[in-house]
Amino acid sequence: MNDNTTHLMAAYARQPVSFVRGRGARLWDAEGREYLDAIAGVAVTSLGHAQPEIAAVIAEQANTLLHTSNVFRIDWQERLGQCLCGLAGMDKAFFCNSGAEANEAALKLARLHGYRRQVANPLILVMENAFHGRSLATLSASGNPAKQQGFAPLLPGFLRLPYNDTDAVRTAARQHPEIVAVLLEPVQGEGGIRVADAAYLQQLRELCDARGWLLMLDEVQTGLGRTGAWFAAEHGGITPDVLILAKALGNGFPIGACLARGGAAELIAPGQHGSTFGGNPLACRVACTVIDIMAREGIPARAAALGQRLLNGLRQGLAGHPEVLAIRGQGLMVGIELRHKCTELVGRALAEQRLLITVTRDRVIRLLPPLICDEAQIDAIVARLVRLLAPIAKEISA
Ligand SMILES: *Cc1c(COP(=O)(O)O)cnc(C)c1O
């Protein structure tokens, strides 16, 4: 392969592989080698690569109308708003083009909520190890000091707490009357696949109700079936005030959404927020199609069953492995926490097992397979990971 990366900013440490074609959970490189995709473009292509219905809709809409402007009514945007709000129990939607932008919209809602309540310096509670994006506001909300280094001054107005710790929230509530909102991921993805307890989510809901705070769930990664429910909030039996979506919503076509209900849905007035591309007919029609397919195919329930199969398989196949500290997850969002740094496993998995994985927080293998995988593909992911990790067990015992 030619090295044409000379003119790309060095934002990514890239693997020396490029895919030219995909189908479902499979990918092919230029040499025709076949790979099994266990990351789905980082939780994006949940319905698989080159999904034929989505491809057809993209072509048809491109031949009809791509973009007008939010100066005008957009029929597909209105339909998507109705469909998503119905699905999530929300009242109103704002559409944009990425997860970071959707979180920006949520953060602006929280600030407006504070402004309406005449809180001079509103505080938003955020969590350790959180990931909300790379814009300055979402980077400031994220809990990864390494990724924040070099970008000072960060945005003020965030108070960081340990994740899954209700007492920490209660203490903060007593000390800081300026708190107006809580922003968190119901399962931390980049943070190493940490699953919030149902009780924690319920207690947050109660605290937010009692104190008039907005409960804002960043479901950019967990939303739309990934965790075995339409939204991970369902595992806690709660509905947030603000729900943030992106990744899987367009199955690879860029789109983000910030949904809100109750008072939070009424905060934004004309002129207070906007996006040129956000909510264009193409993106919204694709997202409507994604949701139609997910509903028709029972994708959330499928993810729950396949996720259980993946967890069971990994726990069996890696039982007693000296390097494995924990195997955890929810639905098809699974992490294998290792004892030592293991970022080199991404390249080894590609080269030796023809398997796409990611490693987050240096020590956690993260698996986010497409939700349309079949059982044989889930079993193949397990088998390839067990083979990948076998030499490490020998190195340790040697
Ligand atoms: C990926 C991700 C984001 C950022 O989304 P972008 O589309 O990359 O801006 C935000 N929050 C969570 C939880 C994510 O997983």
Side-chain angles (χ1 to χ4, degrees):
M1 201 191 336
N2 294 337
D3 185 359
N4 290 330
T5 59
T6 326
H7 297 288
L8 301 180
M9 286 195 195
Y12 308 99
R14 294 177 199 270
Q15 295 298 323
V17 181
S18 172
F19 302 105
V20 294
R21 191 165 61 86
R23 196 81 183 173
R26 297 182 298 161
L27 285 162
W28 289 268
D29 66 16
E31 280 75 41
R33 287 181 290 243
E34 184 182 319
Y35 298 76
L36 182 55
D37 186 356
I39 61 172
V42 194
V44 168
T45 51
S46 282
L47 296 177
H49 299 286
Q51 207 287 342
E53 250 176 277
I54 294 170
V57 156
I58 290 174
E60 190 182 304
Q61 191 61 35
N63 278 297
T64 309
L65 189 66
L66 283 185
H67 177 86
T68 51
S69 160
N70 285 303
V71 168
F72 310 104
R73 285 183 57 173
I74 300 172
D75 180 51
W76 281 108
Q77 188 182 125
E78 292 171 16
R79 289 203 221 181
L80 180 60
Q82 189 174 21
C83 162
L84 272 179
C85 286
L87 203 56
M90 306 301 276
D91 293 324
K92 298 202 174 174
F94 175 82
F95 293 106
C96 50
N97 314 287
S98 68
E101 275 176 88
N103 276 318
E104 287 274 350
L107 293 171
K108 284 181 76 172
L109 289 183
R111 287 282 178 88
L112 270 180
H113 180 60
Y115 179 73
R116 295 286 160 78
R117 299 175 66 189
Q118 297 181 313
V119 180
N121 286 299
L123 272 180
I124 300 169
L125 295 183
V126 290
M127 302 302 153
E128 287 171 7
N129 290 310
F131 182 76
H132 299 298
R134 307 299 204 116
S135 68
L136 274 171
T138 56
L139 182 68
S140 306
S142 296
N144 187 339
K147 298 232 147 70
Q148 292 172 333
Q149 197 178 5
F151 298 106
L154 296 172
L155 211 69
F158 296 108
L159 182 65
R160 194 168 309 286
L161 300 179
Y163 188 66
N164 231 349
D165 183 344
T166 312
D167 288 340
V169 183
R170 290 192 205 284
T171 305
R174 280 194 298 272
Q175 292 172 345
H176 300 279
E178 322 89 307
I179 296 169
V180 296
V182 188
L183 172 66
L184 78 156
E185 301 150 88
V187 182
Q188 291 188 326
E190 310 294 316
I193 313 290
R194 294 163 209 263
V195 183
D197 298 334
Y200 175 64
L201 293 176
Q202 285 153 15
Q203 285 155 355
L204 281 179
R205 181 66 274 175
E206 284 164 19
L207 272 164
C208 286
D209 287 339
R211 303 248 169 193
W213 303 344
L214 298 183
L215 179 57
M216 313 201 294
L217 289 186
D218 178 349
E219 294 230 31
V220 168
Q221 195 164 146
T222 53
L224 299 162
R226 172 59 56 189
T227 68
W230 275 108
F231 305 101
E234 293 167 34
H235 299 296
I238 59 156
T239 309
D241 302 297
V242 178
L243 178 67
I244 301 122
L245 300 174
K247 291 196 163 94
L249 186 54
N251 205 55
F253 195 90
I255 177 169
C258 176
L259 310 179
R261 79 184 166 101
E266 310 298 334
L267 287 166
I268 288 275
Q272 283 188 310
H273 197 47
S275 164
T276 297
F277 295 134
N280 67 73
L282 178 59
C284 290
R285 185 169 177 191
V286 169
C288 284
T289 310
V290 165
I291 292 163
D292 280 352
I293 298 172
M294 285 186 165
R296 189 186 69 209
E297 308 283 331
I299 289 292
R302 183 190 176 100
L306 290 175
Q308 202 53 57
R309 188 178 182 97
L310 181 58
L311 270 182
N312 292 344
L314 290 171
R315 284 181 178 147
Q316 237 165 44
L318 296 172
H321 195 295
E323 185 64 14
V324 176
L325 289 181
I327 301 172
R328 56 177 178 254
Q330 198 170 57
L332 278 178
M333 193 169 175
V334 169
I336 307 170
E337 184 174 346
L338 302 188
R339 211 175 281 279
H340 299 96
K341 277 194 173 190
C342 63
T343 41
E344 83 291 346
L345 284 178
V346 176
R348 280 191 42 210
L350 276 173
E352 297 168 18
Q353 302 297 332
R354 302 263 186 270
L355 179 69
L356 279 71
I357 60 170
T358 65
V359 168
T360 186
R361 291 280 163 161
D362 292 338
R363 297 190 295 108
V364 183
I365 299 173
R366 181 170 51 156
L367 304 173
L368 301 158
L371 310 183
I372 47 79
C373 273
D374 58 26
E375 293 186 341
Q377 285 169 328
I378 294 293
D379 296 346
I381 292 170
V382 172
R384 291 182 199 197
L385 277 168
V386 169
R387 284 202 296 271
L388 179 73
L389 293 176
I392 301 180
K394 287 206 197 89
E395 279 163 30
I396 287 173
S397 53

